[in-house]
Amino acid sequence: MGRLDGKVVLISGVARSQGRSHALRFAEEGADVIGFDVLDEIKGSASGPATQADMDETVRQVEALDRRIIATKADVRDWAGVKAAVDDGVAQLGRLDVVLGNAGVFTAPSLAEDMEDDIFMDTLNINVAGVWRTAKAAIPHLKNNANGGSIIMTSSVAGLSGIANFAHYVASKHALVGLMRTLALELAPSQIRVNTVHPGTVNTVMVMNDVLARVFRPDLENPTADDVIAVAQQMNPMGADMLEPYDISNAMVFLASDEARYITGVTLPVDAGSMVQ
Amino acid sequence: MGRLDGKVVFITGVARGQGRSHAIRFAEEGADIIGIDVLEPIAGSVSDPTTQADMEETVAAVEALDRRIIATKADVRSLEQVKKAVDDGVAELGRLDVVLANAGVSTFTGPTESLSEEAFTDLVDINLNGVWRTCAAAIPHIKTGERGGSIIMTSSAAGLTALANLGHYVAAKHGVVGLMRALALELAPHKIRVNSIHPTTVDTPMVNNEATFKLFRPDLDKPGVDDFLEAAKVMNALPVGWVQSVDISNAMVWLASDEARYVTGVTLPVDAGMLVK
């Protein structure tokens, strides 16, 4: 018996990394999945675009768990596209219970005073307005449920504290906390819970790439993955190498399940203690 | 397969209320229990004293789940008593993995400057110093296991925000957060995680009593449970007046499990949205 049997979860950014991990963990717990991803180049992104092959792999793995998945190409910057993906998914799977506002980007880091306007604005458009559009498309469906639902937004430790050279990302992830708190209030009467998760450094392509490696290790000419991990270890008191996507997925499962039926409006760090350090 | 198979958990205040619920949920997930309770009247407590009969009911419930429990009469105001109970329990059950510092009281309410010296210091001695004594007695055993562990302190929504006429309680529960953060840092290198849980009002003897009803409904002569729930509901964002002990236990299970292996230093509200409102 799964902890999410019979539920349907909507996941943005589902093609790879944390999004794929969420899809698999939720499927393991019995949920069906509605997923979308941009599958296009994002200007300034260091991680390379998610591809149709990535998406196909997510679909294959969910179906291997004997769950259904409706996977669509859609961009969180495009309201009509998001709405169509959500409406079509619900039409096919019959309901919607959980929303994971997971899609996000990290683009060209620099001092705030040197940042280009479109780099800053794109980050806000994807990381904040994109989660708002995802929630907006989902909320009418969640309100159809007698027993409410659960919206979980992927913020970051950068949503609770500043990081030099990350002004666009930090501003976007802090803004999610405000969006979450407002939605938690607005949706509580409908028993829809809204929370944010704040990961530390997670082992995904958003972190493990050449651009970030140079940010983490400005002292080295050609920093390797091991050099990045050495810095990540310093960023948390547990000395953890790096969190794995399933550590975040496990928090999502808990918050989505009835075990957390009275948890709403909460900022939950999953960060190996970096916030208390 | 339980999520805590083979683990041993130490629970203070185990005779009834949230403590008993934790014992039962942890036993359901495969853990054995070391439990203590004061089993004596506490001056000024708003609830009746815990009794040997309460303790026996907890023991019977755990044993009915085919788990072991070592239940001892001990007072968190005495380091010696707590230490002996833990030492004996570990000698019997062989290890210690999880600590639930749950014991707490609610006593005399009123304007903070009008509290007696005893009322203030006694409550802090139980609700804050008692948590420290619990940790002090338990930590050496967790370290000895070299498997890491999880310490979870029961603070309160009143550990993150103020309630009028409960100055001693609010102060002690805020103090728990400081203790949690200090221990999270100190114990992170040993992979011992430390977190606090912040419940709103819970349906237990500490809340379900006339004195507490009166605190919430000073406008009524003899407020009943429905009068209380009406007022308490206004405090929470979700449309409930209180949560159940099992809701707190479920958060404890998650924080104690490997699913939360990188969650430390966190204040986790289980508060029906009281803090976001």
Side-chain angles (χ1 to χ4, degrees):
Chain A
M1 203 190 67
R3 284 147 76 191
L4 298 165
D5 278 340
K7 307 237 178 190
V8 174
V9 57
L10 168 68
I11 305 174
S12 63
V14 79
R16 63 180 176 181
S17 298
Q18 289 184 41
R20 179 188 290 165
S21 170
H22 299 341
L24 299 181
R25 271 299 282 130
F26 275 67
E28 280 174 3
E29 294 291 350
D32 288 332
V33 181
I34 301 168
F36 63 90
D37 207 297
V38 63
L39 307 181
D40 258 327
E41 191 82 48
I42 304 285
K43 188 191 170 197
S45 170
S47 42
T51 64
Q52 186 60 47
D54 291 327
M55 188 73 127
D56 293 344
E57 179 61 17
T58 297
V59 169
R60 187 189 68 75
Q61 292 192 33
V62 169
E63 290 179 345
L65 292 164
D66 239 354
R67 301 313 321 162
R68 290 178 295 174
I69 176 168
I70 311 295
T72 317
K73 173 170 158 51
D75 183 340
V76 291
R77 290 169 295 187
D78 167 30
W79 161 243
V82 171
K83 185 167 179 340
V86 175
D87 289 347
D88 290 352
V90 174
Q92 292 188 60
L93 296 180
R95 58 183 296 138
L96 184 62
D97 302 278
V98 181
V99 178
L100 306 185
N102 163 75
V105 286
F106 177 77
T107 55
S110 74
L111 290 175
E113 71 214 55
D114 299 330
M115 214 165 261
E116 289 172 34
D117 196 273
D118 61 341
I119 289 286
F120 194 94
M121 292 310 291
D122 277 359
T123 298
L124 272 286
N125 195 12
I126 294 168
N127 289 8
V128 186
V131 174
W132 165 71
R133 289 183 198 102
T134 305
K136 180 179 166 170
I139 288 166
H141 299 293
L142 296 178
K143 283 190 169 169
N144 285 334
N145 299 333
N147 56 352
S150 175
I151 299 175
I152 310 164
M153 304 175 183
T154 304
S155 178
S156 165
V157 290
L160 299 169
S161 64
I163 303 176
N165 296 305
F166 285 32
H168 52 343
Y169 189 78
V170 168
S172 73
K173 293 300 189 181
H174 273 70
L176 279 183
V177 174
L179 177 64
M180 174 276 284
R181 288 186 172 136
T182 302
L183 282 175
L185 276 182
E186 290 182 1
L187 299 176
S190 309
Q191 296 187 61
I192 298 166
R193 302 176 295 103
V194 190
N195 298 286
T196 46
V197 170
H198 300 261
T201 316
V202 184
N203 185 12
T204 68
V205 285
M206 191 193 276
V207 174
M208 298 304 273
N209 61 65
D210 290 346
V211 175
L212 255 286
R214 286 201 189 84
V215 172
F216 278 123
R217 296 305 300 265
D219 53 317
L220 300 177
E221 203 164 328
N222 288 307
T224 64
D226 285 345
D227 297 322
V228 174
I229 288 168
V231 174
Q233 285 173 339
Q234 303 294 318
M235 288 165 63
N236 71 83
M238 292 182 78
D241 289 351
M242 211 165 272
L243 279 62
E244 292 299 326
Y246 65 78
D247 292 308
I248 314 307
S249 305
N250 283 331
M252 298 289 186
V253 166
F254 169 67
L255 286 173
S257 76
D258 289 342
E259 291 179 16
R261 66 182 174 156
Y262 292 126
I263 298 183
T264 191
V266 165
T267 56
L268 177 61
V270 180
D271 67 344
S274 65
M275 293 298 307
V276 283
Q277 184 158 273
Chain B
M1 202 188 68
R3 283 148 74 190
L4 298 165
D5 279 339
K7 307 235 176 187
V8 174
V9 56
F10 173 46
I11 307 174
T12 63
V14 80
R16 67 171 182 196
Q18 291 181 41
R20 179 189 292 162
S21 169
H22 300 340
I24 293 170
R25 272 300 285 128
F26 274 68
E28 283 174 355
E29 295 291 350
D32 288 332
I33 321 280
I34 300 166
I36 63 170
D37 206 293
V38 63
L39 308 180
E40 265 177 34
I42 304 286
S45 173
V46 296
S47 49
D48 295 331
T50 54
T51 64
Q52 186 59 41
D54 291 329
M55 190 72 128
E56 282 162 14
E57 196 172 327
T58 297
V59 169
V62 169
E63 290 179 346
L65 292 163
D66 240 354
R67 301 312 322 161
R68 291 177 296 174
I69 176 167
I70 312 293
T72 316
K73 173 172 159 42
D75 186 338
V76 294
R77 288 170 294 187
S78 158
L79 180 58
E80 196 185 350
Q81 286 181 31
V82 175
K83 198 171 166 328
K84 181 160 187 344
V86 177
D87 291 349
D88 290 353
V90 173
E92 195 80 23
L93 297 178
R95 59 187 283 168
L96 185 62
D97 303 278
V98 180
V99 177
L100 307 184
N102 162 76
V105 286
S106 176
T107 59
F108 315 94
T109 60
T112 299
E113 79 271 18
S114 73
L115 294 168
S116 70
E117 165 90 13
E118 293 73 30
F120 196 95
T121 56
D122 285 358
L123 185 136
V124 172
D125 200 26
I126 295 170
N127 288 10
L128 175 56
N129 303 351
V131 173
W132 169 74
R133 291 186 195 100
T134 300
C135 295
I139 288 165
H141 293 292
I142 306 182
K143 281 187 176 170
T144 299
E146 291 183 349
R147 293 174 290 256
S150 176
I151 298 174
I152 310 166
M153 305 176 182
T154 304
S155 177
S156 166
L160 296 170
T161 190
L163 296 172
N165 298 314
L166 278 174
H168 52 347
Y169 190 84
V170 170
K173 292 298 192 182
H174 273 69
V176 167
V177 173
L179 177 63
M180 177 277 284
R181 289 186 174 136
L183 283 174
L185 266 187
E186 288 180 21
L187 299 176
H190 301 276
K191 308 270 184 261
I192 300 170
R193 301 177 295 102
V194 190
N195 297 287
S196 55
I197 293 211
H198 301 264
T200 182
T201 43
V202 185
D203 180 6
T204 68
M206 190 197 279
V207 172
N208 197 342
N209 63 68
E210 223 170 286
T212 303
F213 296 170
K214 200 88 189 137
L215 180 72
F216 278 76
R217 294 305 299 266
D219 55 317
L220 298 179
D221 250 358
K222 286 202 151 91
V225 65
D226 290 338
D227 302 316
F228 158 79
L229 286 173
E230 199 178 72
K233 200 166 157 177
V234 173
M235 203 171 66
N236 297 329
L238 292 171
V240 291
W242 55 20
V243 304
Q244 298 299 314
S245 292
V246 70
D247 296 308
I248 313 305
S249 305
N250 283 333
M252 298 283 190
V253 164
W254 183 70
L255 283 173
S257 77
D258 289 341
E259 289 183 20
R261 65 180 181 150
Y262 288 131
V263 179
T264 192
V266 165
T267 56
L268 178 60
V270 182
D271 70 341
M274 174 182 157
L275 287 162
V276 81
K277 192 164 179 177

